[in-house]
Amino acid sequence: AVSVLIIACPCAMGLATPVSVMVGTGKAAELGVLFRKGEALQTLSEADVVALDKTGTLTEGRPTLTDVALAPGAGLDEAALLRLVAAVEGPSEHPVAHAIVRAAANRGLDVPAVADFEAVPGFGVRGTVEGRRVEVGADRFMRQVGLDVDSLSEASDALAVEGKTPLYAAVDGVLVSALAVADPVKATTPAAIAALHRAGLRVAMITGDHRRTAEAVARRLGIDEVRAEVLPADKAQAVRDLQREGGRGGGPARVAFVGDGI
């Protein structure tokens, strides 16, 4: 039937195909889903795996500071620590940084200015606050600057198991605190995951978050596979790894990636 249509009236197909892609991408955009290109929409029905970012995709993307654990002999109280951490997180665009800055504002703290600010993607931030060197980030960031987090690992592991994201703060080269932020799962996420499973798709989560945190969220949502502690630059490789695992047809898996960046 399509062959006859193309021979008899090729203009119909020539017009209908791009129009249908345009309408499809337009309707998706109204629902908050942006396709990088028309080809992505056309091949979506052939997907074997849907890989999802966590923060802002599965979760609200608006985390809140929930816990502050001071290291033994930190030499700072919680308010003094939060002033320094909020100062160095102020210029950062990361949702976790915004959570810390909001927490300091809610407590009415006077947050000083930061100098020599540097963001290290996938690791953390550093800067000088009131003459003191402040570094805030993941455990891998602390290891990179030569600090051992073992003294706070028990506290941070307990927080991660609850689905919270732990991070650490160091002042003048001394580990002083483990903090945690919680980012609630979107109300629509469980139904979306269930719908993907009903469609016969495997669901994976690729995130830079702490492994225990990611696994806790995945267990709650029934996600099949977790790739945690993945740096931003390595997410493309994580997708390639999923492709190599194979799809339903026996060849490479076709992976749809859903996140807040392209």
Side-chain angles (χ1 to χ4, degrees):
V2 172
S3 298
V4 171
L5 178 62
I6 290 173
I7 293 167
C9 186
C11 296
M13 295 296 286
L15 290 171
T17 302
V19 168
S20 65
V21 171
M22 183 176 67
V23 171
T25 54
K27 289 298 293 182
E30 289 177 8
L31 297 171
V33 180
L34 304 179
F35 286 89
R36 189 165 72 90
K37 53 186 177 181
E39 184 186 351
L41 173 65
Q42 288 180 278
T43 58
L44 184 60
S45 64
E46 302 168 21
D48 302 298
V49 182
V50 174
L52 302 152
D53 264 338
K54 183 178 81 68
T55 303
T57 301
L58 296 175
T59 65
E60 295 283 357
R62 189 177 170 82
T64 56
L65 181 68
T66 57
D67 301 86
V68 178
L70 296 171
L76 291 167
D77 62 22
E78 188 172 313
L81 169 76
L82 195 53
R83 281 183 76 251
L84 296 175
V85 173
V88 80
E89 291 283 17
S92 174
E93 298 177 352
H94 198 281
V96 170
H98 295 169
I100 293 171
V101 172
R102 280 197 304 271
N106 292 340
R107 298 188 192 194
L109 298 178
D110 174 29
V111 177
V114 62
D116 305 320
F117 172 80
E118 180 187 4
V120 185
F123 285 82
V125 294
R126 58 163 58 99
T128 303
V129 182
E130 296 180 336
R132 310 185 75 176
R133 188 173 85 256
V134 182
E135 290 150 327
V136 185
D139 52 358
R140 56 180 173 265
F141 189 41
M142 295 297 111
R143 287 193 293 268
Q144 187 185 75
V145 299
L147 295 177
D148 188 348
V149 299
D150 285 350
S151 62
L152 289 169
S153 61
E154 186 175 338
S156 64
D157 286 348
L159 295 168
V161 168
E162 296 175 12
K164 300 174 181 177
T165 299
L167 61 154
Y168 299 87
V171 178
D172 291 331
V174 178
L175 183 71
V176 293
S177 176
L179 307 94
V181 297
D183 189 8
V185 170
K186 288 179 182 176
T188 53
T189 294
I193 300 296
L196 292 171
H197 280 142
R198 285 196 302 273
L201 294 161
R202 197 163 88 246
V203 182
M205 179 169 67
I206 303 176
T207 177
D209 215 337
H210 191 284
R211 176 163 298 282
R212 289 178 184 268
T213 304
E215 288 174 349
V217 173
R219 277 195 303 272
R220 192 187 316 161
L221 295 175
I223 289 172
D224 305 304
E225 190 170 344
V226 178
R227 304 290 173 101
E229 301 181 15
V230 179
L231 298 177
D234 296 334
K235 286 193 175 182
Q237 183 57 50
V239 170
R240 284 191 285 269
D241 292 342
L242 287 170
Q243 289 172 324
R244 280 199 293 268
E245 289 179 6
R248 287 171 288 187
R254 193 178 291 270
V255 179
F257 185 83
V258 184
D260 60 359
I262 55 170

